[in-house]
Amino acid sequence: MLTRITAGHVIVSQDFGGSVPEARRQQANWSKLIDFSRIKAFVNIAISPEFEWGARNIVLNAGLGGMRPNIAVLGFYNMADLHRNRPLVDTTV
């Protein structure tokens, strides 16, 4: 059985329009990580006023369409800490 993953990231913000540039950066960063890791995954970015609603939307969106992922991965980290710790993958866009 082929394992497909949904890599999810929630941006907590009241300003949807103002968060779109950050969502684009996160999309690019997650795509770089997936390419570097050589895994089969879909990226799903959610902008939500509360983390719980964003996580819910990511889980509910998993499996829509012809390709059905069977794992959802949500990152729980602070981007500022990630940039300071110098990860193996370049996270800047």
Side-chain angles (χ1 to χ4, degrees):
M1 176 199 229
L2 182 62
T3 300
R4 298 231 180 239
I5 297 171
T6 296
H9 187 85
V10 179
I11 298 171
V12 179
S13 175
Q14 298 292 330
D15 179 17
F16 180 84
S19 299
V20 170
E22 177 63 19
R24 288 188 178 137
R25 281 191 294 274
Q26 290 301 327
Q27 179 81 27
N29 289 339
W30 276 99
S31 295
K32 282 183 186 179
L33 179 63
I34 288 167
D35 290 342
F36 178 79
S37 302
R38 296 183 180 158
I39 59 174
K40 300 289 183 187
F42 301 102
V43 178
N44 191 339
I45 307 297
I47 301 172
S48 175
E50 295 179 19
F51 174 80
E52 293 80 6
W53 282 101
R56 176 184 177 273
N57 288 338
I58 288 172
V59 172
L60 289 175
N61 284 334
L64 292 178
M67 302 292 275
R68 295 186 175 266
N70 49 10
I71 298 173
V73 177
L74 297 171
F76 295 96
Y77 57 86
N78 183 322
M79 285 305 290
D81 290 341
L82 178 66
H83 291 298
R84 265 196 308 276
N85 292 332
R86 297 187 182 160
L88 297 174
V89 177
D90 180 20
T91 59
T92 60
V93 176

